[in-house]
Amino acid sequence: MNCIIKTKSEIEKIKTAGKIAAEVLEMIEKYIKPNISTEEINNICHDFIIKKNAVSACLGYHGFPKSICISVNDVVCHGIPNKNQILKSGDIVNVDVTVLKKKYYADTSKMFLVGKTNFLSQRLCKIAQESLYECFNILKPGLPLYEIGTTIQNYVEKHNFSVVREYCGHGIGRSFHEEPHVLHYKNKSNIFLKKGMIFTIEPMINAGHHEVKCMNDGWTVKTKDHSLSAQYEHTILITKNGCDILTWQKNEKIPSNFINK
Ligand code: MF3
Ligand code: CO
Ligand code: CO
């Protein structure tokens, strides 16, 4: 398996892209309110990225028609922003941003809770985020890549939710998607982490069954049973002793019980 080890100067460029991607998620928070359309959110993010002299990597990627993915409620991923899709109180919304800057990519996403949401929605988003945070405690050189999948699946199923199988995290850098494939469920990968690897972890967690279905637009993926779905994504560098999150947002708090180091 050809996992790319990044050089110092590549890491700097991916960090720059990661910072912009994180800033997009920080910036967009105040706009995610009832009555805004997902297309307006897309356009605000697009303009922000352009102002940073960067590019929205999703626009035109395999023909994707918009600059970011916005996935609402039972949409698992790859939701296409649309002027007729208006957010309402109670919605849970994933915004997934991939920035290309100076030929290097970074990729991140998070959930936004619109207005007044119910307990199930809040718990689903919290568990999805915590399943990603759980991995930060174990990542370091030498760790078998499959431990990421074990950690996420165990954490999610302990809370009676399910892990989507069809989509995985990915190496990232000079390409949007590169080796390795980072599975979020139990698997038998024979890859071991090495210092200088950069990849995403992006678990998609369903409130009901893990099965998904792609819609006729060729992009929008929904849960088969119409249950809610939540996803969080970060771009992560493996360092000498652990990891560095390259898409960390300023407003991101890590629950104290997730810091083992
Ligand atoms: N950002 C997604 C990921 O996490 C990929 C979106 S591809 C698109 O890998 F074409 F749908 F934008
Ligand atoms: Co990704
Ligand atoms: Co993404």
Side-chain angles (χ1 to χ4, degrees), residues 186-205:
K186 290 176 190 167
N187 66 89
K188 296 197 167 85
S189 149
N190 55 9
I191 298 172
F192 292 82
L193 301 188
K194 287 196 190 75
K195 179 179 168 225
M197 281 172 68
I198 296 184
F199 54 83
T200 72
I201 304 179
E202 47 182 299
M204 296 165 206
I205 307 305

Side-chain angles (χ1 to χ4, degrees), residues 61-119:
Y61 181 75
H62 292 284
F64 190 79
K66 297 286 173 178
S67 299
I68 58 171
C69 297
I70 306 183
S71 303
V72 181
N73 295 337
D74 65 341
V75 178
V76 173
C77 62
H78 304 164
I80 304 173
N82 181 311
K83 65 178 180 348
N84 297 317
Q85 185 179 34
I86 311 294
L87 297 185
K88 57 182 192 312
S89 180
D91 285 343
I92 59 168
V93 181
N94 177 275
V95 176
D96 192 340
V97 176
T98 310
V99 164
L100 172 62
K101 172 89 179 173
K102 291 197 180 147
K103 299 203 167 125
Y104 284 82
Y105 292 85
D107 190 4
T108 186
S109 85
K110 68 175 279 194
M111 300 301 297
F112 295 92
L113 292 90
V114 182
K116 198 172 154 42
T117 49
N118 67 28
F119 181 67

Side-chain angles (χ1 to χ4, degrees), residues 11 26 30 37 59 61 82 129 141-142 156 168 193 198 200 225-226 231-232 236:
I11 291 168
E26 291 164 10
K30 70 169 185 282
S37 71
L59 185 59
Y61 181 75
N82 181 311
Q129 185 179 40
V156 167
C168 50
L193 301 188
I198 296 184
T200 72
D225 62 6
H226 303 293
Q231 180 181 27
Y232 284 79
I236 300 158

Side-chain angles (χ1 to χ4, degrees), residues 148-167:
I148 293 171
T150 312
T151 300
I152 292 171
Q153 188 173 351
N154 283 341
Y155 191 76
V156 167
E157 291 183 354
K158 190 169 84 187
H159 293 91
N160 294 313
F161 293 135
S162 66
V163 181
V164 171
R165 311 289 201 262
E166 282 78 358
Y167 303 91

Side-chain angles (χ1 to χ4, degrees), residues 126-185:
K126 180 170 181 276
I127 298 304
Q129 185 179 40
E130 289 176 354
S131 76
L132 171 58
Y133 285 170
E134 280 271 300
C135 299
F136 301 160
N137 286 322
I138 59 165
L139 295 174
K140 61 177 180 187
L143 184 84
L145 184 67
Y146 65 73
E147 289 289 357
I148 293 171
T150 312
T151 300
I152 292 171
Q153 188 173 351
N154 283 341
Y155 191 76
V156 167
E157 291 183 354
K158 190 169 84 187
H159 293 91
N160 294 313
F161 293 135
S162 66
V163 181
V164 171
R165 311 289 201 262
E166 282 78 358
Y167 303 91
C168 50
H170 47 93
I172 186 166
R174 191 62 192 252
S175 325
F176 189 162
H177 295 104
E178 56 188 43
E179 296 294 338
H181 293 279
V182 181
L183 276 52
H184 305 117
Y185 55 94

